[in-house]
Amino acid sequence: MAEKLGTAVLELSTDQKDYDKGLRTAKQKAIELSESFTRIGRTMSAAITLPLAALSSLAVKASSDLNESMNAVNVVFGQSANIIEGWGATASKNVGLAQAEFNEMATVLGSMLKQTGAPMAEVADNTIMVTQRAADMASVFNTDVKQALVAIQAALRGETEPIRKFGVLLNEAAVKAKAVELGLIDANEQMSESQKVTARLAAIMEQTSQVAGDFGNTSDQLANRLRILKARATDIIAEFGKSLVPVLESLLTVAEKVISAFAGMSDNLKKLVLILGGLAAAAGPVSIFAGSIMTVSYT
C-alpha cells in the first residue's frame, strides 16, 4: 500500500513538473508571439502606413494645386485657356515642368503678354513659345526652367539684371531700336508700356535664338531626363490625388455636420459629449497599459 502511494505521489509530482514546464513554455511562446506582432506592426507602420499617409497627403495637395492653377489659366486666358491646358498636359515632356507648374508660370507670363494688345489666342501661343525658350535656356546654362522663366518675366518688366546670366543684354536703346525695327514707333517717338513689352520680347527671342531647341535635342541626357522624370512624377501624383479628393470631401462634409450638430447642443450636452470623448481618447492608452501589465505578469 505504501509502495503504491509513493508511486502515485511520484507520478503526481512528475505531472506537476511537466505541467509547470508546459505552462512556462506556453507563457514564453505567448510573449514571443506578442513581441513578434509588435515588431511586425511597427515595421508595417514605418514601411507602409506612414509612407502611404504621406503620399496621400502629397497627392491631395498636388491635385488641389493643379485645380487651382487651371482655374487661374481660365481667368487669364479666357476662351483661349484650352490652348494652355492642352499643351500643359505634355509640359513635363516638352519643357520639364509639371502641368501645375507650367500653368502657374503661364498665368503670370500671359498676364504680362496681354499688355501687348494681341488677341488672346496669340498671347497663349506666345506664352508657350516663351516657355519653350526658357527650357532651352535652362538646358544650355544648366539651371532650373522656372528660374529662366522668372528671368524672362523680369526682363519683360524692364528688370534686365536677372536675364544677363543667360547672355541677354537689354537696355533702353536696344529696346527702342527693336521697336523701330518692328515698326511700332518712329525713331523720335516715345514707347508705350505695351510697345516696350512687345519690343523686349522680340529682343529676348532674337538674342536667345542660338539656344533654340536645345531642351529637345538633349532630352535624353541626364539633366533633362531628371527634369522630365520629376515633372512626370508630380503629374502622376496629382492624378492619383484626384481619386482621393472625393473621399476627403465626404469626410469634410461629415465633419461639418458634426461641428454644426455640436454647436447646436445645450451647454450640459456639450459637456457630456466632451467627457465621453475624453473617455474614448483614454481607451487607447489604458489598453496599452493593460497589455503591458499582462506581459509583465507572464514574465
Side-chain angles (χ1 to χ4, degrees):
M1 182 67 177
E3 182 180 350
K4 290 181 178 180
L5 181 59
T7 300
V9 170
L10 179 60
E11 291 176 351
L12 182 60
S13 176
T14 301
D15 291 342
Q16 182 64 40
K17 290 179 180 179
D18 291 341
Y19 173 77
D20 291 342
K21 181 179 179 182
L23 183 60
R24 287 195 298 273
T25 300
K27 290 180 178 179
Q28 184 61 37
K29 294 283 187 184
I31 293 172
E32 292 175 356
L33 183 61
S34 175
E35 292 175 347
S36 296
F37 275 119
T38 300
R39 286 195 298 271
I40 292 173
R42 288 173 179 169
T43 301
M44 291 183 67
S45 295
I48 300 176
T49 305
L50 292 179
L52 278 178
L55 177 60
S56 297
S57 176
L58 181 64
V60 170
K61 184 181 184 305
S63 178
S64 176
D65 290 344
L66 179 57
N67 286 335
E68 290 295 324
S69 71
M70 285 185 169
N71 179 65
V73 166
N74 286 322
V75 171
V76 172
F77 292 93
Q79 294 182 350
S80 298
N82 62 311
I83 299 174
I84 298 297
E85 291 177 5
W87 197 85
T90 60
S92 60
K93 179 181 178 181
N94 293 331
V95 292
L97 289 175
Q99 186 172 7
E101 292 177 319
F102 167 68
N103 289 345
E104 290 168 3
M105 301 299 292
T107 53
V108 177
L109 186 57
S111 297
M112 299 179 69
L113 295 179
K114 285 171 67 174
Q115 298 178 37
T116 62
M120 285 310 302
E122 183 178 335
V123 171
D125 289 337
N126 286 340
T127 298
I128 293 171
M129 175 188 68
V130 172
T131 303
Q132 289 175 311
R133 184 58 54 86
D136 294 332
M137 292 162 59
S139 178
V140 171
F141 290 90
N142 193 28
T143 188
D144 187 74
V145 179
K146 289 188 286 187
Q147 183 177 350
L149 268 172
V150 168
I152 292 175
Q153 291 168 4
L156 291 175
R157 292 192 301 268
E159 301 169 18
T160 61
E161 188 61 33
I163 206 167
R164 285 191 178 187
K165 66 181 65 176
F166 297 99
V168 178
L169 299 176
L170 290 179
N171 54 44
E172 284 298 318
V175 172
K176 186 170 184 178
K178 178 58 66 174
V180 172
E181 178 187 331
L182 294 173
L184 299 176
I185 59 170
D186 292 329
N188 297 322
E189 285 186 87
Q190 294 295 318
M191 291 182 291
S192 67
E193 284 303 315
S194 63
Q195 290 170 335
K196 287 180 181 179
V197 172
T198 301
R200 287 166 185 159
L201 176 60
I204 291 169
M205 297 303 292
E206 181 180 30
Q207 292 190 39
T208 58
S209 60
Q210 70 274 13
V211 304
D214 190 81
F215 185 91
N217 295 337
T218 60
S219 60
D220 59 341
Q221 296 182 12
L222 181 60
N224 286 335
R225 286 178 67 185
L226 288 174
R227 291 186 180 103
I228 292 170
L229 181 61
K230 180 182 176 182
R232 290 183 65 187
T234 302
D235 285 342
I236 291 172
I237 291 174
E239 187 65 28
F240 173 60
K242 287 183 181 179
S243 61
L244 296 178
V245 169
V247 177
L248 181 60
E249 289 177 343
S250 297
L251 293 175
L252 289 175
T253 299
V254 172
E256 289 169 353
K257 291 180 179 179
V258 170
I259 292 173
S260 297
F262 183 79
M265 293 178 181
S266 65
D267 290 342
N268 289 334
L269 189 55
K270 287 179 182 178
K271 291 179 181 178
L272 177 60
V273 170
L274 292 174
I275 291 172
L276 292 176
L279 292 175
V286 169
S287 298
I288 295 174
F289 177 74
S292 301
I293 295 298
M294 292 174 65
T295 301
V296 171
S297 67
Y298 281 140
T299 57

